Amino acid sequence: SIRTFGVFDNRRIAHEWAKVEIYSTLFAILVWIIGVTSFAGPVMTLVVAPIERMIFLLSMLMKDPLGYENTPQYNDFISEGREDTYNSFWTAEVLKGMETNFLMSTILRIGSLMKVGFGSAGVEIIRNNL
């Protein structure tokens, strides 16, 4: 019986497929990086930063429920809010229409209602319960 053996060199095709796979992977990584960076900026501006500002406002309210508006921290807080609005590529109308802005105004209203409702006598009660 006669046997015939053939040896085929597939290295060139394997190298070409390896290059295609590497380029495909690099392209997917590039698309992923562009997607993450394009979504991270708006999320930070529209969600994370306003929530951090609300937490800071609540901490000012806890420290001094009646006089928080007269502190330098509150003045810095207001000026930072104006700077953030000015430096953002979002318009002021868009930022004012966000739910986080409504929550911020609600927190400020609750603070003013606490001042009116409890007065100076209830400051310690408010501090202990916040």
Side-chain angles (χ1 to χ4, degrees):
S1 99
I2 299 176
R3 291 187 178 179
T4 306
F5 292 98
V7 178
F8 297 99
D9 187 12
N10 292 333
R11 285 183 285 182
R12 191 169 143 220
I13 295 171
H15 283 277
E16 293 299 321
W17 274 106
K19 287 179 187 177
V20 168
E21 292 296 326
I22 288 172
Y23 292 140
S24 298
T25 302
L26 291 175
F27 178 73
I29 290 171
L30 179 68
V31 168
W32 183 79
I33 289 172
I34 290 171
V36 167
T37 55
S38 66
F39 285 115
V43 167
M44 288 297 292
T45 303
L46 299 175
V47 178
V48 176
I51 290 174
E52 288 176 347
R53 288 179 47 78
M54 282 188 275
I55 291 170
F56 185 71
L57 179 63
L58 284 172
S59 69
M60 284 190 291
L61 270 169
M62 286 182 348
K63 290 177 187 173
D64 190 9
L66 293 180
Y68 72 94
E69 292 175 330
N70 300 326
T71 62
Q73 291 88 8
Y74 183 74
N75 293 333
D76 293 341
F77 174 78
I78 296 298
S79 65
E80 286 173 7
R82 288 185 189 134
E83 285 179 23
D84 290 345
T85 302
Y86 181 73
N87 293 334
S88 173
F89 59 89
W90 298 95
T91 62
E93 292 81 26
V94 170
L95 293 175
K96 286 185 180 182
M98 297 299 296
E99 190 69 29
T100 51
N101 196 18
F102 294 132
L103 290 172
M104 184 80 74
S105 65
T106 303
I107 291 170
L108 289 171
R109 288 181 189 153
I110 289 172
S112 64
L113 286 173
M114 285 191 311
K115 282 196 277 187
V116 170
F118 292 109
S120 60
V123 170
E124 289 305 316
I125 297 170
I126 295 170
R127 279 190 192 139
N128 292 333
N129 290 316
L130 286 179

